[in-house]
Amino acid sequence: MTDATAPVKPVKPAGPFSAWEFGLALRYLRARRREGGIALIAVISYVAIALAVMALIVVMSIMAGFRNELLDRMLSFNGHMYVEGRILVDPDRDAALARIAAVPGVVSVTPLVESQSIVRAAGVTTGALVRGIRPQDLGSMRYVNDSLAGEARRSFGQGPYGGDDVLIGKALADGMGLRVGDPVTLYSPTGAGSAIGNLGGLEKTYRVGGLFSSGAADFDRAYIFMPLEQAQLFFAKEGVWDVVELKVAEPDRVGDLLLPVREAAGPGAVVSDWRDRLAAFWGALKVERVAMSIILGLVVAIAALNIISGIVMLVKNKTRDIAILRTVGASQSSMLRIFFIAGAAIGVAGTVTGLVLGLVFCLNIAAIQHFLEWLFQVRLFDADVYMLEAIPAEVDPWDVVWVTLWSVFMSCVASLLPSWRAARMDPVEALRYE
């Protein structure tokens, strides 16, 4: 038997975002026959947010994939760092190359000679950039080296002053109708030196020793590789280099190596990196990325705004419930949180669904592409044009994080406005006409 005189413990009110608020909010989202319109709007909002988030993740991932693939091919051909200055003519430059190669993070060191030339073959005349390179340094250009036949790699650089075999870009060779073994005539605007000075206008016929593909059509149309000694002789640059090109293990952190490489190169060395050489290209990629993020972010925001109409209708249909809850002691903040949870739940569910669909799509994009090509019997992505077997997609974790946060934030903002209206509703006025 309980003691009637025992003090009654006061009932502790439920705190913010308690179980009853979540339970009531989720109950309101369940469809009823006479409230089917609310459920329909909630489903439309959910689907719109999911599709918008999925589209944003897919587009950003494909853009990142193309950007990284293109940048990788450009840097493979052109290098990550460049050393110029006194080292190019220093008698002790071989020792300087050894010091630079010993810097942690430096993968390869390649001295180059580069000059413009007129190319003539089979009645076709065009211009090209001739790059003199040591045979052992071809391996530093992964795409070029992988595209060469074994015989082309073996014959390049063999013979007096490196021999007479040159390597021509496949696009340039196709445009001139050249094949391996064909003769090609190059014209040097500087010419060779003599006892009476520079003769100028030196012309010489070489043999096409191989065709290369760099993965970038612009390079394949413009470049010819020649053994370094032969290029120095042909362009009257004997004993001279134009630049020393470096490849590093982490191109994105190339700035950390500027000082160590400068110290290893010795006094008078000028060191730059690919961010200086490709500043316009890199800037355009960043602007494009930011612009696309803003545009697609607005699409997510517009999709999230559909939540407003659903919660407004829900508040209108639940006017009587709101008045009763306020009468029995529910606070304004509780009303605000209930409808806020209802709207936010739609946004969070749509965000999670879009996130999963986007990641699954990106991780299986090659299989999806090949399936669609088989189904419709069309080539959605021509490998001969883009030099890629499938659409590249690279998921950036930071993109996923900001897309998720942005979608949830916009869903919460859209839910807050009609929830605030429900919280300010007067229970007496709400029950007057019930």
Side-chain angles (χ1 to χ4, degrees):
M1 174 180 268
T2 59
D3 188 357
T5 62
V8 179
K9 294 182 178 180
V11 179
K12 185 178 180 181
F17 296 100
S18 56
W20 81 272
E21 292 176 351
F22 275 95
L24 189 58
L26 297 179
R27 182 180 177 183
Y28 281 166
L29 290 176
R30 296 173 188 170
R32 293 183 182 178
R33 181 171 300 177
R34 66 186 183 89
E35 299 170 358
I38 298 173
L40 178 61
I41 293 177
V43 170
I44 292 175
S45 302
Y46 162 78
V47 172
I49 293 173
L51 292 178
V53 170
M54 175 185 173
L56 184 52
I57 290 177
V58 170
V59 172
M60 295 298 293
S61 298
I62 292 177
M63 287 181 61
F66 271 111
R67 181 179 64 253
N68 293 339
E69 187 70 30
L70 178 59
L71 192 60
D72 179 54
R73 297 188 179 205
M74 294 183 70
L75 293 181
S76 174
F77 192 89
N78 286 312
H80 307 150
M81 299 181 69
Y82 305 90
V83 181
E84 299 171 285
R86 186 183 302 175
I87 187 176
L88 303 177
V89 294
D90 193 334
D92 195 33
R93 60 187 181 182
D94 290 332
L97 289 189
R99 292 195 301 269
I100 295 173
V103 174
V106 174
V107 176
S108 66
V109 181
T110 305
L112 299 177
V113 168
E114 192 168 282
S115 185
Q116 294 182 341
S117 176
I118 295 175
V119 186
R120 187 172 68 251
V124 180
T125 302
T126 187
L129 285 170
V130 178
R131 176 176 289 185
I133 186 173
R134 298 181 303 186
Q136 65 267 31
D137 291 330
L138 282 175
S140 67
M141 294 180 291
R142 176 164 56 94
Y143 294 100
V144 171
N145 189 62
D146 292 347
S147 67
L148 291 173
E151 181 59 32
R153 286 195 291 267
R154 287 191 295 270
S155 64
F156 185 73
Q158 300 299 314
Y161 294 98
D164 292 337
D165 277 7
V166 295
L167 306 176
I168 296 183
K170 191 175 185 303
L172 178 60
D174 290 343
M176 301 186 71
L178 291 172
R179 296 294 179 264
V180 175
D182 290 349
V184 57
T185 301
L186 303 182
Y187 175 83
S188 167
T190 56
S194 71
I196 59 175
N198 191 288
L199 299 177
L202 179 63
E203 183 178 299
K204 184 176 179 180
T205 299
Y206 291 90
R207 174 183 175 272
V208 178
L211 306 180
F212 69 84
S213 176
S214 66
D218 289 342
F219 295 149
D220 296 346
R221 281 191 293 264
Y223 277 88
I224 295 175
F225 288 112
M226 182 183 290
L228 180 60
E229 289 184 85
Q230 184 65 219
Q232 289 174 322
L233 180 65
F234 185 63
F235 292 109
K237 296 181 179 181
E238 290 187 80
V240 177
W241 299 336
D242 287 335
V243 68
V244 176
E245 186 180 271
L246 280 63
K247 299 285 176 61
V248 300
E250 298 181 83
D252 291 337
R253 302 183 62 183
V254 69
D256 298 338
L257 295 177
L258 289 177
L259 183 57
V261 169
R262 187 178 296 114
E263 292 176 349
V270 178
V271 182
S272 59
D273 58 54
W274 65 270
R275 297 172 301 179
D276 301 321
R277 298 285 183 104
L278 302 177
F281 171 77
W282 185 242
L285 285 180
K286 290 193 289 186
V287 170
E288 181 186 31
R289 178 182 176 84
V290 172
M292 189 60 67
S293 300
I294 294 174
I295 293 172
L296 294 177
L298 291 176
V299 173
V300 174
I302 293 171
L305 292 178
N306 288 326
I307 295 175
I308 294 179
S309 57
I311 302 303
V312 166
M313 290 187 63
L314 181 62
V315 170
K316 184 176 181 180
N317 286 357
K318 298 298 181 181
T319 299
R320 185 169 179 269
D321 291 11
I322 295 172
I324 293 174
L325 288 170
R326 289 295 311 282
T327 302
V328 298
S331 64
Q332 285 186 332
S333 59
S334 292
M335 293 295 97
L336 185 147
R337 287 192 295 269
I338 289 171
F339 291 99
F340 175 80
I341 291 171
I346 299 173
V348 171
T351 300
V352 173
T353 303
L355 183 63
V356 172
L357 292 177
L359 293 177
V360 170
F361 188 94
C362 292
L363 296 177
N364 297 276
I365 192 169
I368 295 172
Q369 172 198 328
H370 296 323
F371 172 75
L372 293 177
E373 289 178 341
W374 170 81
L375 182 64
F376 297 106
Q377 295 298 307
V378 296
R379 299 189 68 180
L380 300 177
F381 192 76
D382 195 341
D384 295 333
V385 176
Y386 298 100
M387 300 182 184
L388 294 169
E389 291 297 326
I391 299 174
E394 185 170 327
V395 179
D396 188 340
W398 288 111
D399 285 343
V400 175
V401 169
W402 91 257
V403 169
T404 303
L405 293 178
W406 173 249
S407 179
V408 172
F409 171 75
M410 288 305 305
S411 300
C412 292
V413 170
S415 305
L416 190 61
L417 299 177
S419 302
W420 181 76
R421 177 176 177 270
R424 291 180 60 84
M425 188 175 296
D426 187 355
V428 176
E429 291 295 328
L431 289 173
R432 176 173 295 179
Y433 302 103
E434 292 291 337

